[in-house]
Each structure stands twice: as structure tokens, then as C-alpha cells.
Amino acid sequence: MNENARILIVDDEPMVCLALTNWLKEENYLASSVGDGPGAIAAIGEEKWDIVLLDLKMPGMDGLEVLREIKKIAPQTVVVMMTAYASIPGSVQAMKDGAYDYLVKPLDVQELTLMLHKITRHQQLVQENIMLRKQLHEHHSYENIIGKSQAMQKVFELIRTVADTTATVLVTGETGTGKELVARAIHANSSRRYSPFIGVSCGALPETLLESELFGYEKGAFTGAERTKKGRFELAHNGTLFLDEIGDISLKTQVKLLRVLQERSFRRLGGTEVVEVDVRLIAATNRDLLKAVEEGIFRSDLYYRLNVINVHLPPLRERREDIPLLAESFMGKFNLEFNKKFDRLEKKALDLMIEYQWPGNVRELENIIERAVVIGQGPEIKAAHLPFCRPDTSEPSGGNSTGDGSAGDGLQLLEEVEKSHILRMLELNQWNIARTARLLGIDRTTLHKKISRFCLQKQ
Amino acid sequence: MITRPRIIYVVPLTNGLVDHLDSIAESIEIQFGAQVKIMKNQGLPTYALDGARKQYNSNMILKQLLQISPPDTLKILGITDLDLFSPIFKYVFGEAQFGGKGAVISSYRLSANPDGDSERGCPPLGDRMEKEAIHELGHTFGLRHCTDPDCVMHYSVGIQCADRKFAFFCSVCRDLMLWHMAKDLFLKA
């Protein structure tokens, strides 16, 4: 009858609250009541209400003040004023301030019923509109990758085009832009989708370990090789092998990799048997591989072999129009995960998010929304929930800086700021790599690399 | 000795309406399958008169009905021709204790077309009262408003809309009513 609309009654007369709540419950509405303005504002902040029946004349905070606050906190909530004959001018003012309509007390059952039906019907239409927008949103996403920006639409188009081919793909983009998601999307839309998708994070493994991971080893190949082990290439047979951080592999491994790509076969470490594989290779890097080629640290032949198709993911700061869409999507995801009811972003929070530079890209945004959902009560993510709004994190901490790379005029180099910030975060988290990486909005591999690059050590 | 509630009492609360009482009682008996008894006329409920509104408070009438209900009362329905109101509403056609024992209906606003001054084209008053009585008693059995526009438990906005519904339950409401009645008859004793 009314699709269980949630109605809040705000009236200082307990009898009105009780009688109206009971009547609404009998009419299958989910009704509750509060006796004053501050109570109403608290209730609106805590939960989502579809309709508020608000008494105009209340001691202390009157109905008009409460109405204005409600419209600030939850503009989508429909407010119907309840008034006595004498205060009709007040009701007119309320309509100007955003009230949907007003009812004269004592209420006319038919008028109230019709009005509630009309509002719930209107809200159904609003919901339908939201559903349609969600469907549109699905057009703005592809296999968990979200973006309505032109750059992302081009990425989706490219993924669709190359997915069902055997072409090797090189995914490039800054850390946290979603390179692995692209690789998975390509795999999921290829004819290999029922075969394995095997990922290797090349940057996380030392050279010898990487080789044994990629190609496997025979029993007795080295100390500790107690049995034959299949490598990732073999495990990915008929499927897709995703080599993340490809720019970090040694020249020696590059040669071996090149040979596999050329011959489609290899030998396990310590083995003589040739293993033939049918693998589609997708590589990813956040490095400028062409520059690495120029510097002689990446083989040009491997580069051209990998870069048959290049999918470049733009950093988040270059597609700011996707931020609200991404934030909304992560809100939905973490609402489910943490059983919360966040449904909107405070305007100031959104403005700050759009202004922010997002060095950790989408992953950083995801972590920030997760954090906000965990610490907040909802239904609105506020600017105060965003860590980059806190003054202590917006300024670089110079306490741990070595000073050797400083510009000499009291300003710090970007690298120095990064180093001291990473060290500070590591110490704050007792060198818990996973947690620190999450808070920094980067992956663990990147954090490990940065630790070794900056020679950071646990004190 | 435990007296089981088994009788639906119909209580006239005015001197009029005598012509309709029997037909309403008969209809209730058919729809609810319970024994119906008409109690003696209780007279005007002057205790419920609100001088300022010149209307009768249905809540107070319900309280009074519960006080006079015999021990074997399954439900008790007051019938009046006075203008009823509930404090938050301008007027009511009737009122019931949801899932409780008492209900009251009035013919005051059932007797005319919406313009209030013409009887032409209006179905017999008894028909409307019969539907209102079954509807309110339905609420006492814990039935909510029904989406089926033909069901007596359908909420009709305005009298004319009420004229299109039947004076009996849809199959779903009927089953629910019987379930609630079984509970009232056999579990609450």
C-alpha cells in the first residue's frame, strides 16, 4: 500500500505523537516520533527518513528552524508541516523554506491519506529515477572499473576491442589506478575466461625467487627444492598470466621472459624437459618503460614484445569528474561490508575530494571512503571524515628528514617529504607494512620498494 | 471456571438505527462465523461529548464499551449516529482497537453524498454501515488495510470509493482473520 515509507513525527504533544504513530503503523508505515526540534535533527542525522510530519509551533526550537536544519542535513526528506488555523501564514513561510505541504490540525484523515499516498508515489518515482541512474552508472563501469570520463570510456572501448584476441597487453598508469582490474577485465571478457588468471607481482620478489615462481623448478634444482613445482606460466596454461610491476625485473629475467614469449615454451629450473604453454600475457607497470629502455635497464625487444596493445590508465587527478561516481560506488561497497547506511557526501567533502591531488589514485580514494564509513555513523560522509582535511597531515613533517636533500632555503624536496611521511606512517603503525600501505593508499609492493629506495630501517 | 470469549456484541449507542441493527448483526455473523448478540441500547454517550468541537470522542466511547463488555466478549462493536472524532483527526467514520476487543462506527458521515445535502444516487445506508462494521471489526482481529480494491478491508478515500468494495473479505484477509480468530478463541482464554 505504501511500500513501508519511513515517517518521523515531530510534535511536542505526546498525545499527537502517540496517536499518529499508532495510526501510521496500522497503515503499514514505519513510524516513529520525537517531542522536540533537537530530537528531530538528531533522528534525521542518524537515520534515513522518507517523510517528516513536523509541528509548526513547538517550544524552544520551532518548526521553521527545524525545517531549515532538516533541509540542510537531508534535502531529499519530504517535510509536511502540521499547524493550527491561526498559523497558516507560518505554514506559507514553511512552504517557501522547502516544506512539501501543510496540514491543519486536527487532521483530515482523507487529506492525510491522499497526501502520504502522493508523496510515497513521488518517492517511488524518485527511486525509479535512482535505479535508472544506476543503470546508467553501469554504463559508466566495466567489470568493476568505474569512470564516466572520456578517458575511461576510451579505456573501456579498448578493453572490449582487445579482450577476445591473443594480443599481449601492456597496462600503464600510476600506482592505484587499477591496472590489475584492467587485466582481470580483459581476461573476463576473453575466450580464456574459464581458464586461470594467474598474477605475479614481479617487484615483490627477488630475482632468483621470481624465476622459480615464473618457470617452476625440478626436484633437486637447488637446496630446498624437495619436489617438482609448477611455475606461474604452467599454471596459467590456456589462461592469462598477469605480470605486475614488469619494469622491476632484472635484465637476466627479461631475457628468459623474452624467450618464453618468442618460443611459447620453457624449461623449469634444473630441468631438461621443454614445457609448452599457451598463455596470454598481460603486463603492467607504473614506470616509464620507454625511459627505462633509453637508460638501458629494460630491453627494447621485450618492450616492443609486451607493448603490442597499450592500455594507459589516467591518474585520478586527470579525471576528477569520476570522483563522485567512484565515491558513491565505494560507499555502496563498504555499506554492505560494514552494515552502514551512508548515502551521500557532504558538499564540502566532495569539493575537497575534487580539489585533492590523489597521489594514491583510486586506491587512495577507496581507502579514504572505507575509513570514513568505518569511523562515521552516516548517513553522510563529512569533510571531517577525510584524512587529508586534517591540518596535521596536510603539512609535511620535517622531524624525520635528514636534511641532506633540502633545497637550502627551508623548503623540502618532494622526495624528502615522501620519505619522512612514509617513515612517520610506518612508525605510527609499528612497521605493519599492510596497514601502512593501506593508509598511504599504495600497495605493499610499492611500499617495500619505497622502503628500500629511501633505505628506511626500523629503529 | 474459565469463560471463553466467543460472542461478538453489537451495542446501540443511540435511539435510532434500530432498522439496521439486525441486518448488520446478521452480516457480521456470516462474515466472522461467530455468534452475535445485540445488547440493550446504552443511550447517548454524553461522557464523550467535546463541547468545543460538538463531536463525540471515539477513544472515550471505546473505553466505555470495554468496561461494559460481558466476560464472554470476543469483540464489542458500538453503533451510533453521532459525529465521531479522534483527537488528532477532524472526524472518523469509525475506530477500532487494532488487535484488541472494541470498535465503534457512526452513520453520521455515511448517510449522505459528499456534498452532504443529497441522498440521490446514494446506496442504502445499511450497506455502508455493514461494510464499515466489518471493516472496523477486521481491525480488531489484527487485519491491516488490504490492497485488493474489492476487499472490505480496503481503505477507501471517501464514501463513494467505499461503495465499490464488497462487504466481505478477500481470500487472504479471510484466512488471516480466521487465524487471528482461532488465536483469540483458543489461546487467549
Side-chain angles (χ1 to χ4, degrees), chain B residues 10-67:
Chain B
V10 174
V11 189
L13 296 167
T14 180
N15 296 327
L17 303 168
V18 178
D19 291 346
H20 300 296
L21 280 179
D22 289 332
S23 63
I24 293 171
E26 192 184 341
S27 185
I28 292 169
E29 197 163 307
I30 294 166
Q31 291 311 314
F32 292 92
Q35 191 183 346
V36 178
K37 283 185 184 173
I38 300 174
M39 284 173 76
K40 71 167 183 163
N41 200 325
Q42 299 294 309
L44 291 174
T46 45
Y47 51 86
L49 177 66
D50 183 308
R53 294 178 67 153
K54 293 181 181 133
Q55 287 177 302
Y56 292 80
N57 188 329
S58 55
N59 293 359
M60 294 174 80
I61 298 176
L62 281 180
K63 277 184 195 162
Q64 180 63 20
L65 284 174
L66 294 177
Q67 279 179 7

Short mmCIF file of all heavy atoms in Angstrom, two decimals, chain B residues 10-67:
data_model
loop_
_atom_site.label_atom_id
_atom_site.label_comp_id
_atom_site.label_asym_id
_atom_site.label_seq_id
_atom_site.Cartn_x
_atom_site.Cartn_y
_atom_site.Cartn_z
N VAL B 10 -23.01 -6.40 19.69
CA VAL B 10 -23.30 -5.16 18.96
C VAL B 10 -24.08 -4.27 19.92
O VAL B 10 -25.08 -4.70 20.50
CB VAL B 10 -24.13 -5.45 17.70
CG1 VAL B 10 -24.56 -4.17 17.03
CG2 VAL B 10 -23.31 -6.30 16.72
N VAL B 11 -23.58 -3.05 20.14
CA VAL B 11 -24.17 -2.17 21.15
C VAL B 11 -24.69 -0.89 20.52
O VAL B 11 -23.91 -0.06 20.04
CB VAL B 11 -23.10 -1.79 22.21
CG1 VAL B 11 -23.75 -1.08 23.38
CG2 VAL B 11 -22.32 -3.00 22.66
N PRO B 12 -26.02 -0.68 20.50
CA PRO B 12 -26.55 0.59 20.01
C PRO B 12 -26.23 1.71 21.02
O PRO B 12 -26.36 1.51 22.22
CB PRO B 12 -28.06 0.37 19.91
CG PRO B 12 -28.30 -1.06 20.26
CD PRO B 12 -27.09 -1.60 20.93
N LEU B 13 -25.80 2.83 20.50
CA LEU B 13 -25.44 3.95 21.38
C LEU B 13 -26.32 5.16 21.08
O LEU B 13 -25.88 6.30 21.18
CB LEU B 13 -23.96 4.30 21.20
CG LEU B 13 -22.98 3.21 21.60
CD1 LEU B 13 -21.58 3.53 21.10
CD2 LEU B 13 -22.96 3.03 23.11
N THR B 14 -27.51 4.91 20.66
CA THR B 14 -28.45 6.00 20.38
C THR B 14 -29.84 5.39 20.29
O THR B 14 -30.00 4.17 20.40
CB THR B 14 -28.07 6.71 19.07
OG1 THR B 14 -29.01 7.74 18.84
CG2 THR B 14 -28.09 5.76 17.89
N ASN B 15 -30.80 6.22 20.05
CA ASN B 15 -32.15 5.67 19.97
C ASN B 15 -32.55 5.31 18.54
O ASN B 15 -33.51 4.60 18.33
CB ASN B 15 -33.15 6.66 20.53
CG ASN B 15 -32.88 6.90 22.01
OD1 ASN B 15 -32.45 5.99 22.70
ND2 ASN B 15 -33.12 8.11 22.47
N GLY B 16 -31.79 5.78 17.55
CA GLY B 16 -32.13 5.50 16.16
C GLY B 16 -31.52 4.19 15.68
O GLY B 16 -31.14 3.34 16.48
N LEU B 17 -31.47 4.02 14.38
CA LEU B 17 -30.75 2.93 13.72
C LEU B 17 -31.30 1.54 13.99
O LEU B 17 -30.69 0.56 13.59
CB LEU B 17 -29.26 2.92 14.12
CG LEU B 17 -28.46 4.19 13.86
CD1 LEU B 17 -27.15 4.11 14.56
CD2 LEU B 17 -28.29 4.39 12.37
N VAL B 18 -32.39 1.44 14.66
CA VAL B 18 -32.90 0.11 15.03
C VAL B 18 -33.15 -0.74 13.79
O VAL B 18 -32.88 -1.95 13.78
CB VAL B 18 -34.19 0.25 15.87
CG1 VAL B 18 -34.76 -1.11 16.22
CG2 VAL B 18 -33.89 1.04 17.13
N ASP B 19 -33.57 -0.11 12.72
CA ASP B 19 -33.86 -0.85 11.49
C ASP B 19 -32.63 -1.58 10.95
O ASP B 19 -32.74 -2.61 10.34
CB ASP B 19 -34.36 0.11 10.40
CG ASP B 19 -35.74 0.64 10.74
OD1 ASP B 19 -36.35 0.05 11.65
OD2 ASP B 19 -36.17 1.63 10.13
N HIS B 20 -31.48 -1.01 11.13
CA HIS B 20 -30.27 -1.59 10.54
C HIS B 20 -29.57 -2.59 11.43
O HIS B 20 -28.75 -3.36 10.95
CB HIS B 20 -29.27 -0.48 10.20
CG HIS B 20 -29.81 0.51 9.21
ND1 HIS B 20 -30.13 0.15 7.93
CD2 HIS B 20 -30.09 1.82 9.33
CE1 HIS B 20 -30.58 1.23 7.29
NE2 HIS B 20 -30.58 2.25 8.13
N LEU B 21 -29.85 -2.57 12.73
CA LEU B 21 -29.07 -3.39 13.66
C LEU B 21 -29.11 -4.87 13.30
O LEU B 21 -28.09 -5.54 13.29
CB LEU B 21 -29.59 -3.20 15.09
CG LEU B 21 -29.11 -1.94 15.80
CD1 LEU B 21 -29.71 -1.85 17.19
CD2 LEU B 21 -27.59 -1.95 15.89
N ASP B 22 -30.30 -5.38 13.01
CA ASP B 22 -30.42 -6.81 12.73
C ASP B 22 -29.63 -7.22 11.50
O ASP B 22 -28.94 -8.25 11.50
CB ASP B 22 -31.90 -7.19 12.56
CG ASP B 22 -32.63 -7.14 13.90
OD1 ASP B 22 -31.94 -7.33 14.92
OD2 ASP B 22 -33.85 -6.87 13.92
N SER B 23 -29.75 -6.39 10.45
CA SER B 23 -29.04 -6.76 9.22
C SER B 23 -27.53 -6.69 9.42
O SER B 23 -26.78 -7.52 8.90
CB SER B 23 -29.48 -5.88 8.05
OG SER B 23 -29.12 -4.54 8.30
N ILE B 24 -27.06 -5.70 10.19
CA ILE B 24 -25.61 -5.61 10.46
C ILE B 24 -25.16 -6.83 11.27
O ILE B 24 -24.15 -7.47 10.95
CB ILE B 24 -25.28 -4.29 11.20
CG1 ILE B 24 -25.53 -3.08 10.28
CG2 ILE B 24 -23.83 -4.28 11.68
CD1 ILE B 24 -25.44 -1.74 10.97
N ALA B 25 -25.93 -7.16 12.30
CA ALA B 25 -25.58 -8.31 13.14
C ALA B 25 -25.53 -9.59 12.31
O ALA B 25 -24.61 -10.42 12.46
CB ALA B 25 -26.58 -8.44 14.28
N GLU B 26 -26.50 -9.73 11.43
CA GLU B 26 -26.56 -10.94 10.59
C GLU B 26 -25.32 -11.01 9.68
O GLU B 26 -24.69 -12.06 9.52
CB GLU B 26 -27.83 -10.88 9.73
CG GLU B 26 -28.14 -12.18 9.05
CD GLU B 26 -29.35 -12.06 8.13
OE1 GLU B 26 -30.15 -11.09 8.30
OE2 GLU B 26 -29.48 -12.88 7.23
N SER B 27 -24.98 -9.87 9.10
CA SER B 27 -23.83 -9.82 8.21
C SER B 27 -22.53 -10.15 8.96
O SER B 27 -21.67 -10.88 8.47
CB SER B 27 -23.75 -8.43 7.59
OG SER B 27 -22.75 -8.38 6.65
N ILE B 28 -22.40 -9.62 10.18
CA ILE B 28 -21.20 -9.90 11.00
C ILE B 28 -21.11 -11.40 11.28
O ILE B 28 -20.05 -12.01 11.18
CB ILE B 28 -21.24 -9.09 12.32
CG1 ILE B 28 -21.09 -7.59 12.03
CG2 ILE B 28 -20.17 -9.55 13.29
CD1 ILE B 28 -21.37 -6.69 13.24
N GLU B 29 -22.27 -11.96 11.62
CA GLU B 29 -22.29 -13.39 11.95
C GLU B 29 -21.83 -14.23 10.76
O GLU B 29 -21.05 -15.17 10.91
CB GLU B 29 -23.71 -13.79 12.35
CG GLU B 29 -23.76 -15.10 13.09
CD GLU B 29 -25.09 -15.28 13.83
OE1 GLU B 29 -25.45 -14.38 14.61
OE2 GLU B 29 -25.74 -16.30 13.60
N ILE B 30 -22.27 -13.83 9.56
CA ILE B 30 -21.88 -14.57 8.36
C ILE B 30 -20.38 -14.40 8.09
O ILE B 30 -19.67 -15.36 7.83
CB ILE B 30 -22.71 -14.10 7.14
CG1 ILE B 30 -24.17 -14.49 7.33
CG2 ILE B 30 -22.16 -14.68 5.84
CD1 ILE B 30 -25.13 -13.80 6.36
N GLN B 31 -19.90 -13.17 8.15
CA GLN B 31 -18.51 -12.90 7.79
C GLN B 31 -17.51 -13.46 8.80
O GLN B 31 -16.45 -13.92 8.42
CB GLN B 31 -18.26 -11.38 7.63
CG GLN B 31 -18.95 -10.78 6.43
CD GLN B 31 -18.71 -11.57 5.15
OE1 GLN B 31 -17.59 -11.95 4.85
NE2 GLN B 31 -19.77 -11.85 4.41
N PHE B 32 -17.86 -13.40 10.08
CA PHE B 32 -16.89 -13.83 11.09
C PHE B 32 -17.17 -15.24 11.61
O PHE B 32 -16.34 -15.82 12.31
CB PHE B 32 -16.85 -12.83 12.26
CG PHE B 32 -16.28 -11.49 11.86
CD1 PHE B 32 -17.10 -10.48 11.41
CD2 PHE B 32 -14.90 -11.27 11.91
CE1 PHE B 32 -16.58 -9.26 11.03
CE2 PHE B 32 -14.38 -10.05 11.52
CZ PHE B 32 -15.22 -9.03 11.07
N GLY B 33 -18.32 -15.76 11.28
CA GLY B 33 -18.65 -17.12 11.72
C GLY B 33 -18.72 -17.24 13.23
O GLY B 33 -18.46 -18.29 13.78
N ALA B 34 -19.03 -16.13 13.90
CA ALA B 34 -19.12 -16.17 15.36
C ALA B 34 -20.54 -15.75 15.77
O ALA B 34 -21.25 -15.10 15.00
CB ALA B 34 -18.11 -15.21 15.96
N GLN B 35 -20.92 -16.16 16.97
CA GLN B 35 -22.25 -15.79 17.45
C GLN B 35 -22.29 -14.29 17.73
O GLN B 35 -21.35 -13.72 18.29
CB GLN B 35 -22.54 -16.57 18.74
CG GLN B 35 -23.99 -16.46 19.18
CD GLN B 35 -24.24 -17.18 20.49
OE1 GLN B 35 -23.42 -17.97 20.96
NE2 GLN B 35 -25.38 -16.89 21.09
N VAL B 36 -23.39 -13.65 17.30
CA VAL B 36 -23.52 -12.20 17.50
C VAL B 36 -24.75 -11.92 18.37
O VAL B 36 -25.81 -12.51 18.15
CB VAL B 36 -23.66 -11.47 16.15
CG1 VAL B 36 -23.83 -9.97 16.36
CG2 VAL B 36 -22.44 -11.72 15.27
N LYS B 37 -24.57 -11.06 19.36
CA LYS B 37 -25.71 -10.69 20.21
C LYS B 37 -25.84 -9.18 20.22
O LYS B 37 -24.82 -8.47 20.30
CB LYS B 37 -25.51 -11.18 21.65
CG LYS B 37 -25.76 -12.66 21.85
CD LYS B 37 -25.65 -13.00 23.32
CE LYS B 37 -25.81 -14.51 23.51
NZ LYS B 37 -25.53 -14.88 24.91
N ILE B 38 -27.09 -8.70 20.14
CA ILE B 38 -27.31 -7.26 20.22
C ILE B 38 -27.62 -6.91 21.67
O ILE B 38 -28.55 -7.45 22.27
CB ILE B 38 -28.46 -6.82 19.29
CG1 ILE B 38 -28.11 -7.17 17.83
CG2 ILE B 38 -28.72 -5.32 19.42
CD1 ILE B 38 -29.22 -6.92 16.84
N MET B 39 -26.81 -6.03 22.23
CA MET B 39 -27.02 -5.64 23.62
C MET B 39 -28.09 -4.55 23.69
O MET B 39 -28.45 -3.96 22.67
CB MET B 39 -25.72 -5.10 24.23
CG MET B 39 -24.73 -6.20 24.59
SD MET B 39 -23.15 -5.54 25.12
CE MET B 39 -23.51 -4.99 26.76
N LYS B 40 -28.57 -4.26 24.90
CA LYS B 40 -29.58 -3.22 25.02
C LYS B 40 -28.96 -1.84 24.75
O LYS B 40 -27.76 -1.64 24.94
CB LYS B 40 -30.24 -3.25 26.40
CG LYS B 40 -29.36 -2.79 27.50
CD LYS B 40 -30.20 -2.57 28.75
CE LYS B 40 -29.27 -2.02 29.82
NZ LYS B 40 -29.86 -1.42 30.92
N ASN B 41 -29.79 -0.96 24.26
CA ASN B 41 -29.33 0.37 23.88
C ASN B 41 -28.71 1.09 25.09
O ASN B 41 -29.31 1.16 26.15
CB ASN B 41 -30.52 1.18 23.33
CG ASN B 41 -30.06 2.34 22.49
OD1 ASN B 41 -29.04 2.95 22.79
ND2 ASN B 41 -30.79 2.63 21.45
N GLN B 42 -27.51 1.60 24.91
CA GLN B 42 -26.80 2.26 26.01
C GLN B 42 -27.10 3.76 26.06
O GLN B 42 -26.56 4.47 26.92
CB GLN B 42 -25.30 2.07 25.85
CG GLN B 42 -24.86 0.61 25.89
CD GLN B 42 -25.10 -0.03 27.25
OE1 GLN B 42 -24.69 0.50 28.28
NE2 GLN B 42 -25.79 -1.17 27.27
N GLY B 43 -27.86 4.25 25.09
CA GLY B 43 -28.19 5.68 25.08
C GLY B 43 -27.05 6.53 24.54
O GLY B 43 -26.00 6.02 24.14
N LEU B 44 -27.27 7.84 24.54
CA LEU B 44 -26.25 8.75 24.00
C LEU B 44 -25.00 8.74 24.87
O LEU B 44 -25.11 8.82 26.10
CB LEU B 44 -26.81 10.18 23.95
CG LEU B 44 -27.91 10.44 22.93
CD1 LEU B 44 -28.44 11.85 23.11
CD2 LEU B 44 -27.44 10.22 21.51
N PRO B 45 -23.82 8.65 24.27
CA PRO B 45 -22.57 8.66 25.07
C PRO B 45 -22.19 10.09 25.44
O PRO B 45 -21.21 10.65 24.93
CB PRO B 45 -21.55 8.03 24.12
CG PRO B 45 -22.06 8.33 22.75
CD PRO B 45 -23.54 8.45 22.83
N THR B 46 -22.97 10.69 26.31
CA THR B 46 -22.74 12.11 26.65
C THR B 46 -21.36 12.34 27.27
O THR B 46 -20.79 13.42 27.16
CB THR B 46 -23.82 12.58 27.64
OG1 THR B 46 -23.96 11.58 28.65
CG2 THR B 46 -25.15 12.79 26.96
N TYR B 47 -20.80 11.28 27.93
CA TYR B 47 -19.48 11.38 28.54
C TYR B 47 -18.40 11.70 27.49
O TYR B 47 -17.32 12.18 27.80
CB TYR B 47 -19.12 10.06 29.26
CG TYR B 47 -19.31 8.84 28.37
CD1 TYR B 47 -18.31 8.40 27.51
CD2 TYR B 47 -20.52 8.14 28.37
CE1 TYR B 47 -18.50 7.30 26.69
CE2 TYR B 47 -20.72 7.04 27.56
CZ TYR B 47 -19.70 6.62 26.72
OH TYR B 47 -19.89 5.54 25.89
N ALA B 48 -18.70 11.39 26.23
CA ALA B 48 -17.68 11.54 25.17
C ALA B 48 -17.85 12.84 24.39
O ALA B 48 -17.10 13.10 23.45
CB ALA B 48 -17.74 10.35 24.21
N LEU B 49 -18.81 13.64 24.79
CA LEU B 49 -19.07 14.87 24.02
C LEU B 49 -17.99 15.92 24.29
O LEU B 49 -17.65 16.21 25.43
CB LEU B 49 -20.44 15.44 24.40
CG LEU B 49 -20.81 16.77 23.72
CD1 LEU B 49 -20.99 16.60 22.21
CD2 LEU B 49 -22.09 17.37 24.33
N ASP B 50 -17.43 16.45 23.20
CA ASP B 50 -16.48 17.56 23.31
C ASP B 50 -17.25 18.82 22.96
O ASP B 50 -17.63 19.02 21.80
CB ASP B 50 -15.31 17.33 22.33
CG ASP B 50 -14.24 18.41 22.45
OD1 ASP B 50 -14.58 19.61 22.39
OD2 ASP B 50 -13.06 18.05 22.60
N GLY B 51 -17.46 19.66 23.96
CA GLY B 51 -18.29 20.84 23.79
C GLY B 51 -17.78 21.77 22.70
O GLY B 51 -18.55 22.31 21.92
N ALA B 52 -16.47 21.95 22.66
CA ALA B 52 -15.89 22.88 21.70
C ALA B 52 -16.07 22.37 20.27
O ALA B 52 -16.38 23.12 19.36
CB ALA B 52 -14.42 23.09 22.01
N ARG B 53 -15.86 21.10 20.08
CA ARG B 53 -15.93 20.55 18.73
C ARG B 53 -17.34 20.09 18.36
O ARG B 53 -17.60 19.78 17.20
CB ARG B 53 -14.95 19.37 18.61
CG ARG B 53 -13.51 19.80 18.73
CD ARG B 53 -12.52 18.65 18.66
NE ARG B 53 -12.48 18.00 17.36
CZ ARG B 53 -11.44 17.35 16.87
NH1 ARG B 53 -10.33 17.27 17.58
NH2 ARG B 53 -11.48 16.77 15.69
N LYS B 54 -18.16 19.99 19.34
CA LYS B 54 -19.53 19.48 19.13
C LYS B 54 -19.49 18.11 18.43
O LYS B 54 -20.28 17.82 17.54
CB LYS B 54 -20.36 20.48 18.33
CG LYS B 54 -20.62 21.76 19.12
CD LYS B 54 -21.46 22.71 18.33
CE LYS B 54 -21.68 23.97 19.12
NZ LYS B 54 -21.48 25.19 18.41
N GLN B 55 -18.55 17.34 18.87
CA GLN B 55 -18.39 15.98 18.33
C GLN B 55 -18.15 15.04 19.50
O GLN B 55 -17.87 15.48 20.62
CB GLN B 55 -17.17 15.93 17.40
CG GLN B 55 -17.36 16.62 16.05
CD GLN B 55 -16.07 16.57 15.26
OE1 GLN B 55 -15.03 17.05 15.73
NE2 GLN B 55 -16.11 15.97 14.08
N TYR B 56 -18.22 13.73 19.20
CA TYR B 56 -18.04 12.74 20.25
C TYR B 56 -16.69 12.02 20.08
O TYR B 56 -16.35 11.59 18.96
CB TYR B 56 -19.19 11.73 20.25
CG TYR B 56 -20.49 12.37 20.67
CD1 TYR B 56 -21.25 13.13 19.78
CD2 TYR B 56 -20.94 12.22 21.99
CE1 TYR B 56 -22.43 13.74 20.18
CE2 TYR B 56 -22.13 12.83 22.41
CZ TYR B 56 -22.87 13.60 21.49
OH TYR B 56 -24.02 14.19 21.89
N ASN B 57 -15.96 11.93 21.19
CA ASN B 57 -14.61 11.36 21.16
C ASN B 57 -14.70 9.83 21.08
O ASN B 57 -15.14 9.16 22.02
CB ASN B 57 -13.88 11.80 22.43
CG ASN B 57 -12.42 11.41 22.41
OD1 ASN B 57 -12.04 10.41 21.81
ND2 ASN B 57 -11.60 12.22 23.06
N SER B 58 -14.26 9.28 19.95
CA SER B 58 -14.38 7.84 19.74
C SER B 58 -13.51 7.04 20.71
O SER B 58 -13.86 5.92 21.10
CB SER B 58 -14.03 7.48 18.30
OG SER B 58 -12.75 7.96 17.99
N ASN B 59 -12.37 7.62 21.13
CA ASN B 59 -11.49 6.92 22.08
C ASN B 59 -12.22 6.65 23.40
O ASN B 59 -12.11 5.58 23.98
CB ASN B 59 -10.24 7.75 22.40
CG ASN B 59 -9.34 7.92 21.20
OD1 ASN B 59 -9.65 7.39 20.14
ND2 ASN B 59 -8.26 8.65 21.35
N MET B 60 -12.97 7.69 23.85
CA MET B 60 -13.69 7.54 25.13
C MET B 60 -14.82 6.53 25.01
O MET B 60 -15.10 5.78 25.95
CB MET B 60 -14.21 8.91 25.59
CG MET B 60 -13.07 9.85 25.92
SD MET B 60 -13.60 11.51 26.29
CE MET B 60 -14.13 11.35 27.96
N ILE B 61 -15.44 6.52 23.85
CA ILE B 61 -16.53 5.54 23.65
C ILE B 61 -15.96 4.12 23.69
O ILE B 61 -16.54 3.21 24.30
CB ILE B 61 -17.27 5.80 22.32
CG1 ILE B 61 -17.93 7.19 22.36
CG2 ILE B 61 -18.31 4.71 22.06
CD1 ILE B 61 -18.61 7.61 21.06
N LEU B 62 -14.78 3.95 23.05
CA LEU B 62 -14.15 2.62 23.07
C LEU B 62 -13.86 2.17 24.50
O LEU B 62 -14.12 1.02 24.86
CB LEU B 62 -12.84 2.65 22.28
CG LEU B 62 -12.96 2.58 20.75
CD1 LEU B 62 -11.58 2.62 20.11
CD2 LEU B 62 -13.66 1.31 20.32
N LYS B 63 -13.35 3.10 25.30
CA LYS B 63 -13.03 2.76 26.70
C LYS B 63 -14.29 2.30 27.44
O LYS B 63 -14.29 1.30 28.17
CB LYS B 63 -12.44 3.97 27.43
CG LYS B 63 -10.96 4.14 27.18
CD LYS B 63 -10.42 5.29 27.99
CE LYS B 63 -9.04 5.68 27.47
NZ LYS B 63 -8.65 7.00 27.91
N GLN B 64 -15.37 3.04 27.21
CA GLN B 64 -16.63 2.71 27.88
C GLN B 64 -17.15 1.34 27.42
O GLN B 64 -17.64 0.54 28.23
CB GLN B 64 -17.66 3.82 27.57
CG GLN B 64 -19.02 3.60 28.20
CD GLN B 64 -18.99 3.60 29.74
OE1 GLN B 64 -18.06 4.12 30.35
NE2 GLN B 64 -20.01 3.00 30.35
N LEU B 65 -17.03 1.08 26.12
CA LEU B 65 -17.50 -0.21 25.58
C LEU B 65 -16.76 -1.37 26.26
O LEU B 65 -17.36 -2.39 26.61
CB LEU B 65 -17.27 -0.28 24.07
CG LEU B 65 -18.23 0.52 23.19
CD1 LEU B 65 -17.78 0.48 21.73
CD2 LEU B 65 -19.66 -0.05 23.28
N LEU B 66 -15.46 -1.19 26.46
CA LEU B 66 -14.67 -2.26 27.09
C LEU B 66 -15.12 -2.49 28.52
O LEU B 66 -15.11 -3.61 29.02
CB LEU B 66 -13.18 -1.92 27.04
CG LEU B 66 -12.58 -1.88 25.63
CD1 LEU B 66 -11.12 -1.47 25.68
CD2 LEU B 66 -12.71 -3.24 24.94
N GLN B 67 -15.52 -1.40 29.17
CA GLN B 67 -15.95 -1.53 30.57
C GLN B 67 -17.26 -2.30 30.70
O GLN B 67 -17.47 -3.03 31.66
CB GLN B 67 -16.11 -0.15 31.19
CG GLN B 67 -14.76 0.40 31.63
CD GLN B 67 -14.88 1.79 32.24
OE1 GLN B 67 -15.97 2.30 32.46
NE2 GLN B 67 -13.74 2.40 32.50
#
